Amino acid sequence: MNRRADIDRAKGLAISLVVFGHIVARQDPAHVLWYPALRRAVYGFHMPFFFYLSGLVTWLSGHAGTPPAGWPGLIRARARRLLIPFAVMAFTITAGKLAAARFIHVDNPPQGLLGGLADTIWHPLASPAYSLWYLAVLFLLSVATPLLLAVCRGRLWPVICIFAAFQFIPLPRHLYLAETGRYALFFGAGLAAGALGDRWTGWIDRWRWPLIAAFVTGFAFVALDGNVLPFNLRLVTLGLTAMPALHALVRFPCLSSARTLATLGRYSLMIYLFNTIFIGLAKGLLLLATGWNGTHFLPFAAVLMSAGLLGPVVLKRAVLRSVPVLDRMTE
């Protein structure tokens, strides 16, 4: 698969939204109304958009149609790409939080190393490294897709129906099964977009403005009064609206040479793996000097966003590229 600039820009936009959502992990700053409202709306679509892009890339790369003889190789390749970084970062974050908690404020600290690692696998919501959940869910969806396609005799629409049905099936919270069911629909939508090819991109380009207007309307509604809708309904409505709108947005001529978004997109895995570490370090150090309540939060948030986006990129360029195994793991 040749690298597509519009997908890189879309990934750059998506990872920026992820970092924005990670600025505040647990306790909201006092006397700050704008951030919780925006975060509520962002959480209604940013991960659906990420899974849409993941499904799109899975189809365009040919992984979705892997024949049965290639399944063991695909599982090994997906495990190297997703589960090894998951395991390494889960250990790093858990151990790092235990060490840092002695000196600075740490969000969601583990009770111990082994307990924290066990929670990372078996009790995700109690995990000190819950932010890594996307990797586990993407692994499950990407290896399940070829199997389901084979069962459905190569027809994609039954696979998408199966993924959509998971929205209505209560799955256990263990092993990220609940998260997999919640986001399978959006991964399936990405598969469909990949299968449609130029027909999909042509359609979103032609209907760009109505699609963006519909998304902005939904975003504003959720931001201003999002508690009216249950989270799952908010996720489906705003998530499905965001996918064509945001993809069309990054294909807009004025963004076709947006190097910043494209660069962030190329480093999206690195940013995803390390953004919470850099945000946590920056937050802990800043809280030693000042609070983040009220009017202090806006500059505080700007520093945390910069740390979450730029810190991983600098780490990749300055350190990890000189260590081949780490360079490949975070590519």
Side-chain angles (χ1 to χ4, degrees), residues 137-169:
V137 172
L138 181 56
F139 173 80
L140 294 174
L141 290 173
S142 60
V143 300
T145 297
L147 171 62
L148 291 174
L149 270 175
V151 170
C152 297
R153 299 182 180 181
R155 294 172 298 176
L156 182 57
W157 69 264
V159 176
I160 296 173
C161 289
I162 292 170
F163 283 159
F166 283 136
Q167 285 284 334
F168 307 98
I169 301 173

mmCIF file of all heavy atoms in Angstrom, residues 137-169:
data_model
loop_
_atom_site.group_PDB
_atom_site.id
_atom_site.type_symbol
_atom_site.label_atom_id
_atom_site.label_comp_id
_atom_site.label_asym_id
_atom_site.label_seq_id
_atom_site.Cartn_x
_atom_site.Cartn_y
_atom_site.Cartn_z
ATOM 1 N N VAL A 137 -7.508 -3.473 21.351
ATOM 2 C CA VAL A 137 -8.741 -3.588 20.583
ATOM 3 C C VAL A 137 -8.437 -3.693 19.089
ATOM 4 O O VAL A 137 -9.046 -4.499 18.367
ATOM 5 C CB VAL A 137 -9.660 -2.388 20.873
ATOM 6 C CG1 VAL A 137 -10.864 -2.379 19.936
ATOM 7 C CG2 VAL A 137 -10.116 -2.417 22.316
ATOM 8 N N LEU A 138 -7.491 -2.915 18.602
ATOM 9 C CA LEU A 138 -7.138 -2.978 17.189
ATOM 10 C C LEU A 138 -6.581 -4.356 16.837
ATOM 11 O O LEU A 138 -6.865 -4.895 15.751
ATOM 12 C CB LEU A 138 -6.119 -1.889 16.848
ATOM 13 C CG LEU A 138 -5.686 -1.824 15.379
ATOM 14 C CD1 LEU A 138 -6.886 -1.652 14.454
ATOM 15 C CD2 LEU A 138 -4.680 -0.694 15.163
ATOM 16 N N PHE A 139 -5.804 -4.945 17.733
ATOM 17 C CA PHE A 139 -5.302 -6.302 17.477
ATOM 18 C C PHE A 139 -6.465 -7.275 17.307
ATOM 19 O O PHE A 139 -6.509 -8.060 16.348
ATOM 20 C CB PHE A 139 -4.396 -6.760 18.621
ATOM 21 C CG PHE A 139 -3.987 -8.202 18.517
ATOM 22 C CD1 PHE A 139 -2.966 -8.583 17.665
ATOM 23 C CD2 PHE A 139 -4.631 -9.181 19.267
ATOM 24 C CE1 PHE A 139 -2.597 -9.923 17.548
ATOM 25 C CE2 PHE A 139 -4.281 -10.513 19.162
ATOM 26 C CZ PHE A 139 -3.254 -10.890 18.298
ATOM 27 N N LEU A 140 -7.422 -7.245 18.228
ATOM 28 C CA LEU A 140 -8.550 -8.167 18.165
ATOM 29 C C LEU A 140 -9.362 -7.973 16.882
ATOM 30 O O LEU A 140 -9.742 -8.943 16.214
ATOM 31 C CB LEU A 140 -9.446 -7.979 19.392
ATOM 32 C CG LEU A 140 -8.826 -8.369 20.736
ATOM 33 C CD1 LEU A 140 -9.770 -7.993 21.880
ATOM 34 C CD2 LEU A 140 -8.507 -9.854 20.782
ATOM 35 N N LEU A 141 -9.626 -6.729 16.515
ATOM 36 C CA LEU A 141 -10.423 -6.468 15.320
ATOM 37 C C LEU A 141 -9.675 -6.833 14.037
ATOM 38 O O LEU A 141 -10.260 -7.387 13.103
ATOM 39 C CB LEU A 141 -10.836 -4.996 15.281
ATOM 40 C CG LEU A 141 -11.860 -4.562 16.335
ATOM 41 C CD1 LEU A 141 -12.052 -3.055 16.310
ATOM 42 C CD2 LEU A 141 -13.199 -5.266 16.100
ATOM 43 N N SER A 142 -8.389 -6.538 13.998
ATOM 44 C CA SER A 142 -7.636 -6.778 12.763
ATOM 45 C C SER A 142 -7.403 -8.258 12.504
ATOM 46 O O SER A 142 -7.320 -8.675 11.336
ATOM 47 C CB SER A 142 -6.298 -6.022 12.800
ATOM 48 O OG SER A 142 -5.504 -6.440 13.890
ATOM 49 N N VAL A 143 -7.326 -9.091 13.556
ATOM 50 C CA VAL A 143 -7.167 -10.524 13.320
ATOM 51 C C VAL A 143 -8.519 -11.215 13.155
ATOM 52 O O VAL A 143 -8.602 -12.295 12.548
ATOM 53 C CB VAL A 143 -6.343 -11.202 14.444
ATOM 54 C CG1 VAL A 143 -4.952 -10.597 14.532
ATOM 55 C CG2 VAL A 143 -7.053 -11.139 15.783
ATOM 56 N N ALA A 144 -9.588 -10.612 13.683
ATOM 57 C CA ALA A 144 -10.920 -11.198 13.515
ATOM 58 C C ALA A 144 -11.477 -10.957 12.111
ATOM 59 O O ALA A 144 -12.252 -11.777 11.601
ATOM 60 C CB ALA A 144 -11.880 -10.621 14.556
ATOM 61 N N THR A 145 -11.081 -9.864 11.475
ATOM 62 C CA THR A 145 -11.664 -9.505 10.181
ATOM 63 C C THR A 145 -11.439 -10.551 9.098
ATOM 64 O O THR A 145 -12.395 -10.940 8.405
ATOM 65 C CB THR A 145 -11.136 -8.129 9.737
ATOM 66 O OG1 THR A 145 -11.553 -7.134 10.678
ATOM 67 C CG2 THR A 145 -11.667 -7.761 8.364
ATOM 68 N N PRO A 146 -10.216 -11.053 8.871
ATOM 69 C CA PRO A 146 -10.049 -12.083 7.833
ATOM 70 C C PRO A 146 -10.855 -13.346 8.123
ATOM 71 O O PRO A 146 -11.405 -13.956 7.191
ATOM 72 C CB PRO A 146 -8.542 -12.375 7.861
ATOM 73 C CG PRO A 146 -7.921 -11.189 8.495
ATOM 74 C CD PRO A 146 -8.930 -10.678 9.475
ATOM 75 N N LEU A 147 -10.945 -13.725 9.406
ATOM 76 C CA LEU A 147 -11.729 -14.897 9.771
ATOM 77 C C LEU A 147 -13.202 -14.688 9.427
ATOM 78 O O LEU A 147 -13.853 -15.554 8.824
ATOM 79 C CB LEU A 147 -11.564 -15.188 11.261
ATOM 80 C CG LEU A 147 -12.488 -16.265 11.851
ATOM 81 C CD1 LEU A 147 -12.224 -17.612 11.179
ATOM 82 C CD2 LEU A 147 -12.289 -16.372 13.352
ATOM 83 N N LEU A 148 -13.746 -13.530 9.795
ATOM 84 C CA LEU A 148 -15.151 -13.247 9.509
ATOM 85 C C LEU A 148 -15.411 -13.144 8.017
ATOM 86 O O LEU A 148 -16.446 -13.613 7.520
ATOM 87 C CB LEU A 148 -15.574 -11.957 10.209
ATOM 88 C CG LEU A 148 -15.649 -12.012 11.735
ATOM 89 C CD1 LEU A 148 -15.940 -10.632 12.315
ATOM 90 C CD2 LEU A 148 -16.722 -13.001 12.178
ATOM 91 N N LEU A 149 -14.482 -12.559 7.271
ATOM 92 C CA LEU A 149 -14.645 -12.479 5.823
ATOM 93 C C LEU A 149 -14.666 -13.870 5.196
ATOM 94 O O LEU A 149 -15.433 -14.134 4.261
ATOM 95 C CB LEU A 149 -13.521 -11.643 5.206
ATOM 96 C CG LEU A 149 -13.763 -10.141 5.064
ATOM 97 C CD1 LEU A 149 -12.520 -9.450 4.552
ATOM 98 C CD2 LEU A 149 -14.948 -9.859 4.142
ATOM 99 N N ALA A 150 -13.821 -14.759 5.719
ATOM 100 C CA ALA A 150 -13.804 -16.127 5.194
ATOM 101 C C ALA A 150 -15.116 -16.832 5.496
ATOM 102 O O ALA A 150 -15.687 -17.522 4.634
ATOM 103 C CB ALA A 150 -12.627 -16.894 5.792
ATOM 104 N N VAL A 151 -15.607 -16.661 6.724
ATOM 105 C CA VAL A 151 -16.884 -17.273 7.102
ATOM 106 C C VAL A 151 -18.020 -16.729 6.238
ATOM 107 O O VAL A 151 -18.950 -17.457 5.858
ATOM 108 C CB VAL A 151 -17.170 -17.038 8.599
ATOM 109 C CG1 VAL A 151 -18.587 -17.446 8.971
ATOM 110 C CG2 VAL A 151 -16.162 -17.785 9.463
ATOM 111 N N CYS A 152 -17.940 -15.438 5.917
ATOM 112 C CA CYS A 152 -18.992 -14.794 5.112
ATOM 113 C C CYS A 152 -18.707 -14.877 3.610
ATOM 114 O O CYS A 152 -19.288 -14.117 2.821
ATOM 115 C CB CYS A 152 -19.145 -13.331 5.536
ATOM 116 S SG CYS A 152 -19.680 -13.116 7.248
ATOM 117 N N ARG A 153 -17.764 -15.763 3.221
ATOM 118 C CA ARG A 153 -17.452 -16.029 1.815
ATOM 119 C C ARG A 153 -17.027 -14.777 1.058
ATOM 120 O O ARG A 153 -17.433 -14.552 -0.085
ATOM 121 C CB ARG A 153 -18.645 -16.699 1.129
ATOM 122 C CG ARG A 153 -19.030 -18.040 1.753
ATOM 123 C CD ARG A 153 -20.184 -18.682 1.018
ATOM 124 N NE ARG A 153 -20.533 -19.964 1.631
ATOM 125 C CZ ARG A 153 -21.497 -20.775 1.186
ATOM 126 N NH1 ARG A 153 -22.213 -20.409 0.125
ATOM 127 N NH2 ARG A 153 -21.754 -21.905 1.802
ATOM 128 N N GLY A 154 -16.231 -13.950 1.736
ATOM 129 C CA GLY A 154 -15.672 -12.780 1.091
ATOM 130 C C GLY A 154 -16.589 -11.586 0.995
ATOM 131 O O GLY A 154 -16.204 -10.551 0.444
ATOM 132 N N ARG A 155 -17.799 -11.703 1.507
ATOM 133 C CA ARG A 155 -18.744 -10.582 1.462
ATOM 134 C C ARG A 155 -18.539 -9.692 2.678
ATOM 135 O O ARG A 155 -18.561 -10.158 3.809
ATOM 136 C CB ARG A 155 -20.175 -11.106 1.419
ATOM 137 C CG ARG A 155 -20.522 -11.865 0.140
ATOM 138 C CD ARG A 155 -21.887 -12.516 0.231
ATOM 139 N NE ARG A 155 -21.916 -13.510 1.313
ATOM 140 C CZ ARG A 155 -23.014 -14.168 1.669
ATOM 141 N NH1 ARG A 155 -24.165 -13.911 1.062
ATOM 142 N NH2 ARG A 155 -22.962 -15.053 2.651
ATOM 143 N N LEU A 156 -18.373 -8.411 2.410
ATOM 144 C CA LEU A 156 -18.048 -7.485 3.491
ATOM 145 C C LEU A 156 -19.274 -7.071 4.291
ATOM 146 O O LEU A 156 -19.189 -6.866 5.504
ATOM 147 C CB LEU A 156 -17.348 -6.241 2.917
ATOM 148 C CG LEU A 156 -16.885 -5.183 3.935
ATOM 149 C CD1 LEU A 156 -15.947 -5.782 4.975
ATOM 150 C CD2 LEU A 156 -16.212 -4.024 3.215
ATOM 151 N N TRP A 157 -20.419 -6.933 3.644
ATOM 152 C CA TRP A 157 -21.579 -6.381 4.356
ATOM 153 C C TRP A 157 -22.013 -7.235 5.546
ATOM 154 O O TRP A 157 -22.402 -6.676 6.585
ATOM 155 C CB TRP A 157 -22.733 -6.124 3.388
ATOM 156 C CG TRP A 157 -23.396 -7.343 2.801
ATOM 157 C CD1 TRP A 157 -23.116 -7.922 1.596
ATOM 158 C CD2 TRP A 157 -24.435 -8.124 3.391
ATOM 159 N NE1 TRP A 157 -23.908 -9.022 1.388
ATOM 160 C CE2 TRP A 157 -24.751 -9.172 2.475
ATOM 161 C CE3 TRP A 157 -25.154 -8.047 4.582
ATOM 162 C CZ2 TRP A 157 -25.719 -10.130 2.716
ATOM 163 C CZ3 TRP A 157 -26.129 -9.006 4.833
ATOM 164 C CH2 TRP A 157 -26.403 -10.026 3.912
ATOM 165 N N PRO A 158 -21.946 -8.595 5.494
ATOM 166 C CA PRO A 158 -22.290 -9.339 6.718
ATOM 167 C C PRO A 158 -21.302 -9.092 7.856
ATOM 168 O O PRO A 158 -21.691 -9.081 9.028
ATOM 169 C CB PRO A 158 -22.255 -10.803 6.265
ATOM 170 C CG PRO A 158 -22.377 -10.775 4.785
ATOM 171 C CD PRO A 158 -21.703 -9.504 4.369
ATOM 172 N N VAL A 159 -20.028 -8.883 7.506
ATOM 173 C CA VAL A 159 -19.028 -8.592 8.534
ATOM 174 C C VAL A 159 -19.364 -7.279 9.231
ATOM 175 O O VAL A 159 -19.312 -7.173 10.463
ATOM 176 C CB VAL A 159 -17.610 -8.536 7.918
ATOM 177 C CG1 VAL A 159 -16.570 -8.147 8.973
ATOM 178 C CG2 VAL A 159 -17.253 -9.867 7.280
ATOM 179 N N ILE A 160 -19.737 -6.271 8.451
ATOM 180 C CA ILE A 160 -20.099 -4.975 9.031
ATOM 181 C C ILE A 160 -21.341 -5.119 9.907
ATOM 182 O O ILE A 160 -21.437 -4.504 10.983
ATOM 183 C CB ILE A 160 -20.312 -3.939 7.915
ATOM 184 C CG1 ILE A 160 -18.995 -3.711 7.163
ATOM 185 C CG2 ILE A 160 -20.820 -2.618 8.488
ATOM 186 C CD1 ILE A 160 -19.119 -2.828 5.944
ATOM 187 N N CYS A 161 -22.293 -5.935 9.480
ATOM 188 C CA CYS A 161 -23.491 -6.168 10.299
ATOM 189 C C CYS A 161 -23.133 -6.835 11.621
ATOM 190 O O CYS A 161 -23.702 -6.505 12.676
ATOM 191 C CB CYS A 161 -24.490 -7.020 9.529
ATOM 192 S SG CYS A 161 -25.287 -6.170 8.142
ATOM 193 N N ILE A 162 -22.193 -7.774 11.579
ATOM 194 C CA ILE A 162 -21.747 -8.427 12.813
ATOM 195 C C ILE A 162 -21.094 -7.406 13.738
ATOM 196 O O ILE A 162 -21.375 -7.359 14.941
ATOM 197 C CB ILE A 162 -20.776 -9.583 12.488
ATOM 198 C CG1 ILE A 162 -21.521 -10.715 11.770
ATOM 199 C CG2 ILE A 162 -20.108 -10.108 13.766
ATOM 200 C CD1 ILE A 162 -20.614 -11.783 11.202
ATOM 201 N N PHE A 163 -20.223 -6.574 13.175
ATOM 202 C CA PHE A 163 -19.567 -5.542 13.988
ATOM 203 C C PHE A 163 -20.598 -4.581 14.572
ATOM 204 O O PHE A 163 -20.494 -4.156 15.724
ATOM 205 C CB PHE A 163 -18.548 -4.773 13.142
ATOM 206 C CG PHE A 163 -17.261 -5.514 12.903
ATOM 207 C CD1 PHE A 163 -16.431 -5.172 11.844
ATOM 208 C CD2 PHE A 163 -16.870 -6.545 13.734
ATOM 209 C CE1 PHE A 163 -15.226 -5.841 11.625
ATOM 210 C CE2 PHE A 163 -15.678 -7.230 13.528
ATOM 211 C CZ PHE A 163 -14.860 -6.876 12.462
ATOM 212 N N ALA A 164 -21.594 -4.215 13.781
ATOM 213 C CA ALA A 164 -22.621 -3.301 14.268
ATOM 214 C C ALA A 164 -23.436 -3.936 15.383
ATOM 215 O O ALA A 164 -23.844 -3.257 16.343
ATOM 216 C CB ALA A 164 -23.536 -2.881 13.115
ATOM 217 N N ALA A 165 -23.669 -5.238 15.287
ATOM 218 C CA ALA A 165 -24.468 -5.930 16.304
ATOM 219 C C ALA A 165 -23.810 -5.891 17.675
ATOM 220 O O ALA A 165 -24.491 -5.946 18.710
ATOM 221 C CB ALA A 165 -24.704 -7.374 15.876
ATOM 222 N N PHE A 166 -22.482 -5.804 17.687
ATOM 223 C CA PHE A 166 -21.775 -5.758 18.971
ATOM 224 C C PHE A 166 -22.163 -4.542 19.806
ATOM 225 O O PHE A 166 -21.975 -4.532 21.021
ATOM 226 C CB PHE A 166 -20.256 -5.764 18.749
ATOM 227 C CG PHE A 166 -19.701 -7.110 18.413
ATOM 228 C CD1 PHE A 166 -18.771 -7.248 17.390
ATOM 229 C CD2 PHE A 166 -20.102 -8.231 19.112
ATOM 230 C CE1 PHE A 166 -18.247 -8.492 17.073
ATOM 231 C CE2 PHE A 166 -19.583 -9.484 18.802
ATOM 232 C CZ PHE A 166 -18.657 -9.610 17.775
ATOM 233 N N GLN A 167 -22.698 -3.504 19.139
ATOM 234 C CA GLN A 167 -23.152 -2.327 19.871
ATOM 235 C C GLN A 167 -24.276 -2.672 20.842
ATOM 236 O O GLN A 167 -24.483 -1.966 21.832
ATOM 237 C CB GLN A 167 -23.633 -1.252 18.898
ATOM 238 C CG GLN A 167 -22.531 -0.519 18.166
ATOM 239 C CD GLN A 167 -21.835 0.490 19.053
ATOM 240 O OE1 GLN A 167 -22.414 1.005 20.019
ATOM 241 N NE2 GLN A 167 -20.582 0.778 18.752
ATOM 242 N N PHE A 168 -24.994 -3.740 20.546
ATOM 243 C CA PHE A 168 -26.174 -4.085 21.345
ATOM 244 C C PHE A 168 -25.962 -5.324 22.219
ATOM 245 O O PHE A 168 -26.890 -5.786 22.870
ATOM 246 C CB PHE A 168 -27.366 -4.325 20.408
ATOM 247 C CG PHE A 168 -27.618 -3.197 19.456
ATOM 248 C CD1 PHE A 168 -27.144 -3.250 18.150
ATOM 249 C CD2 PHE A 168 -28.300 -2.065 19.877
ATOM 250 C CE1 PHE A 168 -27.364 -2.199 17.270
ATOM 251 C CE2 PHE A 168 -28.521 -1.009 19.003
ATOM 252 C CZ PHE A 168 -28.058 -1.078 17.702
ATOM 253 N N ILE A 169 -24.741 -5.860 22.213
ATOM 254 C CA ILE A 169 -24.439 -7.058 22.993
ATOM 255 C C ILE A 169 -23.556 -6.668 24.168
ATOM 256 O O ILE A 169 -22.436 -6.171 23.964
ATOM 257 C CB ILE A 169 -23.718 -8.114 22.128
ATOM 258 C CG1 ILE A 169 -24.589 -8.511 20.936
ATOM 259 C CG2 ILE A 169 -23.376 -9.341 22.973
ATOM 260 C CD1 ILE A 169 -23.898 -9.425 19.948
#
